Amino acid sequence: MKGLENIYKRIKDSSDKFLGYPLAKDFTFSEFAPFLDLCINNVGDPEAKSTLTIDTKEVEKKCISFFADILSTTVNDVWGYVTNGGTEGNLYGLYLARECYPDAVVYYSESTHYSVKKNLHLLNMRNIVVRSQENGEIDYEDLEQILTIHRDKPAVFFLNVGTTMTEAVDDLEKIKTIIKKYAIKDYYIHCDAAFLGTIAPFVEPKPKFDFSEGVDSISISGHKFIGGPIPCGIVMCKRAHRNRVANSISYVGTLDTTITGSRNGLTPLFLWSFIEKHGKDGLKRRVCESQELAAYTERKLNEIGVNAWRNKEALTVVFDKPSKKVCEKYQLASEEAIAHIICVPGIKKERIDSLLFDLENEKKEKENLVLLEV
Ligand SMILES: *Cc1c(COP(=O)(O)O)cnc(C)c1O
C-alpha cells in the first residue's frame, strides 16, 4: 500500500508526544503478528460455544474472571464480555437497566462522558442531567432535589468512577443515603469506570464502586490504563440482568447477549497477555508509579506559577488552559478554561519537563510584553 510508511510515522510521532489522553503507551504486542493472518471472531455470548470455532472465548472468559476478582466478586454471580470500549459497556449497562425498569428515569451528572447522551437517545430512556460540583463530582443536593420530584419512578443512577475531564468519582455511599432517605424501591446502579476500573481497585482507600457495594453493572475501557493497539473494554453485570436479555439464536448456535454479533477475538488475547504478564501486583505497581508522576507534574506546575490541581490520588492533573500552540504541541485535551495531563504508563518525565519548559517560557514572554507596553 502506498504511503503506509508515512502513516506509520505520523501516528508513531503523535503517540510519543501526546500528554492529554488516558491511553497507556508502554505496550508491545508484536508477538501476536501471526494472528493478523487469521479472522478471529468471538460471535455471541462468551460462555456459549458457537458452531463457528475461530474464537478466543476461553481466553475471554479468563479475562472476565480476572476482572470479577478485582471487582470483588466471582463469575458465579456476575457475567461479562470484552467490548469495543467503554462506550459499548455503558450502552450495555443502560440497556440492561431499561430491560429491568422500562419506565425508569436515568440520573447522571453534567461531567458524564459525551457518549452517554447518545446512548440514552438510542435507548429512548427518560433522563435528567444533574449539576456537577467544581471538581467534577455529581452535586448530591441537586440530585436529591430532582429525585424528590420523580420518586414514584424507578431510578437509574449512572455514576462516574473517574470523569473524563477531572477524574472525579461520584460517591456511592452518598447516593445510597439518598436512595434510603426517599425510600426508592426500584433502582439500578451503573458505574462508568472507563479509565479508573483498572486503577481504583488498587488505590487506598479504595473508592466504593464495585460488586461488593451492590452495583448492577460496570463498564471499563481496556485500551486506556492497560493499553493496547485496538480499542476494547470490559462490561460486567449481575447474572440476572444478562439472563433477562438472553435470546437463543440458532443460526450461530450461541446466545445473542452482546450488543454486536461478530466480536473482536484479538483484544481478549491482548488483555489476557497483559494480565498474565503483570497480574494484580503489577497493576498496583503501575498505579503507584503513575500517581508519583502525577504528583510530580502537579507540584512542578505550581512551582512555575501555573494553577494546577488533582482530585485525590488522580492521575489527571488539571490546570489553566495554556496557549493553542502548547495545547497542540502536547495534544492536551481542554474544556472551557481548563486543560489536563493524564499521567499514564509510558509517559516520560522528560516529556513533562519539556512542557514545563515551554509553559515557563510563554509566561516570561507574556510578562515581557506587559513590560514593553508599560
Ligand atoms: C473514555 C471514556 C468513555 C468512553 O470509552 P471508550 O473506550 O472511548 O468508548 C466513557 N466514559 C468515560 C468516563 C471515559 O473516560
Side-chain angles (χ1 to χ4, degrees), residues 85-87 90 113 162-164 192 194 221 223-224:
T87 303
N90 286 334
H113 193 261
T163 56
T164 308
D192 178 3
S221 294
H223 58 291
K224 287 188 172 173

Side-chain angles (χ1 to χ4, degrees), residues 123-168:
L123 290 165
N124 196 24
M125 293 173 88
R126 252 191 98 185
N127 61 88
I128 299 175
V129 183
V130 180
R131 222 176 284 141
S132 288
Q133 301 177 50
E134 198 68 7
N135 73 339
E137 199 174 332
I138 197 166
D139 185 323
Y140 306 97
E141 280 170 29
D142 194 43
L143 173 65
E144 204 172 322
Q145 271 185 7
I146 294 169
L147 204 58
T148 50
I149 309 169
H150 305 280
R151 60 191 289 192
D152 57 319
K153 289 268 184 322
V156 175
F157 299 95
F158 185 100
L159 303 183
N160 286 305
V161 183
T163 56
T164 308
M165 205 53 209
T166 67
E167 212 180 304

Side-chain angles (χ1 to χ4, degrees), residues 214-274:
V215 307
D216 291 282
S217 50
I218 302 176
S219 167
I220 302 175
S221 294
H223 58 291
K224 287 188 172 173
F225 190 65
I226 286 180
I230 302 174
C232 63
I234 294 267
V235 67
M236 311 265 293
C237 65
K238 288 181 180 165
R239 274 197 180 268
H241 296 317
R242 173 266 195 179
N243 294 342
R244 193 174 294 115
V245 301
N247 283 319
S248 190
I249 303 295
S250 61
Y251 173 67
V252 282
T254 178
L255 286 171
D256 191 25
T257 46
T258 53
I259 294 224
T260 63
S262 290
R263 293 187 302 112
N264 196 322
L266 202 49
T267 46
L269 286 184
F270 296 154
L271 287 173
W272 185 246
S273 104
F274 176 93

Side-chain angles (χ1 to χ4, degrees), residues 200-208 312-313:
F202 308 103
V203 172
E204 297 283 347
K206 186 171 106 179
K208 296 189 169 168
K312 203 168 38 185
E313 299 304 340

